[in-house]
Amino acid sequence: MSAPRRWFLVLLLLVAGCDDDAGTARPAPTVAVEAGPGEVLGHLEGVSGDVRLERGGEQGPAAEGPLYGGDALETAAGGAATVRFPDGRSVEVGPDARFALGAESGGIVLQVERGILLSRVPAGASRPGAGSTVALTIRTPFGLTRVGADAPSEVRVQVAEDAGRVEVRLGAIEFVGRDGKTLRASEGDAVEAASGKAELVARGARVLELAPIAVTVRSGTGRAEVRAKGASKWRPVAKRGQVLSPGDGVRTRRGGSAVLALEGSGTVVSLGSDAELVLTSAEQGGATDEARFDLLRGWLDLQLARGRTSRLVMPGLQVEGGGEARLAVRRTAAGYLVDALTGEVTLVRGEARQALRAGERATVEASAPAPRVEPLAAAPLALGVVDGAEVFHPGLREVALTWEGEGEAMVEVAEDAAFTRPVLSGRVYRPFVNVPAPARGTLHWRVRREDGTQVTGSASFAPERAVRSLARVRNVVPEGPEKTTIFYQDKPPAVTFTYAAEASAARYRVAVYRAGALDTPVAERVVTEPRAALNAGALSEGSYLWSVTPLSATGAQLKGGRMNKLELVYDNSVPELVVATPRNGQKVGAKVRAAGVAPVDARLSINGRPVALDGKHRFSTWVEPVGAPPVLVFKMTRPGAPAVHTVRTLKQRGP
């Protein structure tokens, strides 16, 4: 007899034993596990914290890889992992959990001893070549739960010492209690089991008791301020952070950010630039977190904790999540925009419930009966899987990280290469994820595809460097026999001609001629001092002759002017991209003129469109801005060097 079959017989005996004397609660059974080559039932991934695998009677640290019948998985207080099955179904394992894996005819069996598991069947889970769909049976000391795979579903199973709870967040399940009674539950329902009895709790029939918890606010970048409830003055957030009370307000100035953390939870709320909110309350009960805010203006980013039930309640909108997810919520004049960056959540308005998953945007308006869901567009600035890219921007809100290949993937983004300072994490369903762009610093990311392959990337971010524009340099051209040569790299510079003073002169006439064309001057000035200035651009590239003639008070010529030589030479050896126009904050219409100069060996694109450079590597073209607010993204590439992205943020012309 094979090892998986021996294990499964033991499991059946244990379950049969549970059905005897159903009215007597018993401690959770010890699951016997034996290893065997057998069939691969699933794959372990997303391991974090202390997770241990038991196989063949031996236990050790768990690593990502295949799982067989008889394997048992155990997580410590801070541990978590995901088991993915061939048909696309996944089971997220929370902290302090233990279960064993087995198979029976036509399905997979999870024997759960303790902890929280979240089963997900995404839309279109069974894909060609991915394996046929299978039924999942979750056995607990209080009964068994059958979850099909023919429709999208999300089921949360929680096993405590003396009770169990099954929440149906999407789809439907069948629950068979120890007394043999069968209960059917659909979306929004729950089954609670204790002392050998199971009870169906319909949606809204029972409210979980929650206890108040502390919310701590810390300043991120720039300036963040707090105003106590009933106070009139805003004060800077304390350097070490401070605890908020219900009714306290938090706001950020332009370029600033603030981070709000819920006590005892991994859920974090980040308030973006020029935004304001009021904390109404924060509560917690078991593995459930609930925070209530009034977002008055701007954006907030919400990272929901893995393995916990989360609720964010705002006027006119409630967001519910059953695991790891990242959202961006923006206050609008009509309601909210909710961008799902990773994971899956449910939007609740009254009795209406709307599923929202990574790669989708929901428009929530008070006048509309239900949110409008549409695909989320990638941010205008997209970074591929490369290392060392540079981004210079004046306050960009987000950037898109992209990779090759369709299908689900796990994404992690952090501020450090060791991923100890996380920014964003979770599951995505499209080959990109939008991430908040730091004002300064570095982002590191890694993407793990379903086939087990992984790609990584990194990029640094900073405000645009101040480029010394030669147009603001006044080049001095002295009188004399030597030719003066001026090299420039942006546009023809300002020029100041100097000459010796004449004792009897009241004024001086300075005339500039093109070489070989002395009939008509291209520029002429009459001044009272022994210096004459021409503004930038008055003289273009080329060779010139210039003269100065002293004049008396009546305008008579005191002596003839001597010709001097001047040459303006364009030098295209600029070390970096110089964008002359448009300026940040410039008002634009449907198109805007983009002009500047690039290094000799550079290639340039603007908003993804290649831009032609002339023989001196200058460019001048009309471009359509993209995004809101409208931006131009200049991407410069050079052989052997990482790409450099320069962003100009503009203002839309009009009301």
Side-chain angles (χ1 to χ4, degrees), residues 507-528:
R507 293 186 299 277
Y508 303 89
R509 182 173 63 241
V510 177
V512 184
Y513 304 86
R514 281 275 185 186
L518 301 179
D519 296 335
T520 304
V522 296
E524 189 172 18
R525 297 287 186 275
V526 176
V527 297
T528 59

Side-chain angles (χ1 to χ4, degrees), residues 340-343 358-359 376 378-379 381-386 399-413 419 424-435 444-458:
L341 306 182
T342 69
L376 178 64
L381 173 54
L383 301 177
V385 182
V386 294
V399 58
L401 308 180
T402 66
W403 54 91
E404 297 293 332
E406 298 291 336
E408 296 182 21
M410 287 294 297
V411 177
E412 294 179 88
V413 184
F419 289 82
L424 173 151
S425 61
R427 184 167 302 282
V428 296
Y429 306 96
R430 300 168 64 190
F432 77 89
V433 62
N434 291 338
V435 179
H444 298 263
W445 61 91
R446 56 191 179 194
V447 181
R448 186 173 58 254
R449 302 188 184 95
E450 286 189 286
D451 60 5
T453 60
Q454 179 171 288
V455 293
T456 62
S458 66

Side-chain angles (χ1 to χ4, degrees), residues 23-354:
T24 304
R26 298 184 180 183
T30 301
V31 178
V33 293
E34 288 189 43
E39 179 185 1
V40 174
L41 298 183
H43 280 79
L44 181 63
E45 58 184 49
V47 176
S48 64
D50 187 0
V51 181
R52 304 185 71 79
L53 175 68
E54 184 175 325
R55 177 176 293 165
E58 297 183 359
Q59 189 181 78
E64 296 186 1
L67 292 175
Y68 304 91
D71 285 353
L73 202 68
E74 187 171 355
T75 60
T82 298
V83 179
R84 185 162 299 279
F85 298 100
D87 65 349
R89 179 201 304 276
S90 66
V91 172
E92 296 178 10
V93 187
D96 196 22
R98 178 181 170 85
F99 73 93
L101 183 66
E104 63 182 7
S105 178
I108 294 173
V109 179
L110 296 183
Q111 178 75 28
V112 184
E113 291 187 35
R114 67 174 186 271
I116 298 174
L117 274 68
L118 184 67
S119 166
R120 298 180 188 269
V121 179
S126 181
R127 297 172 303 279
S132 60
T133 59
V134 294
L136 175 67
T137 299
I138 303 175
R139 299 185 187 274
T140 72
F142 310 99
L144 61 87
T145 302
R146 295 192 179 102
V147 184
D150 55 349
S153 71
E154 181 176 311
V155 179
R156 181 178 185 270
V157 178
Q158 181 175 5
V159 178
E161 182 177 353
D162 56 358
R165 179 179 174 87
V166 180
E167 298 176 7
V168 184
R169 297 175 175 175
L170 184 65
I173 60 104
E174 182 180 76
F175 181 88
V176 181
R178 288 175 52 183
D179 57 1
K181 182 180 178 181
T182 299
L183 300 174
R184 288 177 174 81
S186 57
E187 181 177 337
D189 297 339
V191 175
E192 294 186 348
S195 302
K197 295 182 179 181
E199 176 187 4
L200 176 64
V201 181
R203 179 192 302 176
R206 181 172 297 179
V207 178
L208 180 66
E209 292 294 332
L210 302 177
I213 58 172
V215 176
T216 302
V217 60
R218 292 180 173 82
S219 179
T221 59
R223 185 177 177 86
E225 299 171 323
V226 173
R227 182 173 63 187
K229 180 181 179 180
S232 59
K233 291 185 178 181
W234 291 90
R235 302 185 183 281
V237 174
K239 291 184 178 180
R240 295 186 178 181
Q242 62 189 88
V243 176
L244 297 175
S245 298
D248 289 353
V250 180
R251 75 177 183 185
T252 57
R253 298 296 181 90
R254 187 171 298 277
S257 64
V259 179
L260 289 75
L262 277 62
E263 182 183 23
S265 170
T267 293
V268 177
V269 178
S270 301
L271 193 62
S273 170
D274 194 23
E276 182 179 348
L277 63 75
V278 175
L279 171 66
T280 304
S281 66
E283 299 174 314
Q284 193 174 88
T288 299
D289 304 319
E290 181 178 285
R292 293 177 178 267
F293 295 106
D294 188 357
L295 179 62
L296 302 179
R297 71 172 191 273
W299 284 91
L300 65 80
D301 291 295
L302 181 67
Q303 179 70 52
L304 301 184
R306 176 184 294 184
R308 298 186 67 83
T309 297
S310 303
R311 287 198 297 267
L312 173 68
V313 183
M314 296 179 291
L317 176 66
Q318 179 172 312
V319 180
E320 297 182 353
E324 194 172 38
R326 180 64 180 248
L327 306 174
V329 182
R330 178 187 176 186
R331 183 70 177 183
T332 66
Y336 303 93
L337 289 179
V338 183
D339 294 350
L341 306 182
T342 69
E344 301 176 24
V345 297
T346 301
L347 307 183
V348 182
R349 295 185 66 199
E351 292 298 317
R353 299 174 68 85
Q354 174 67 57

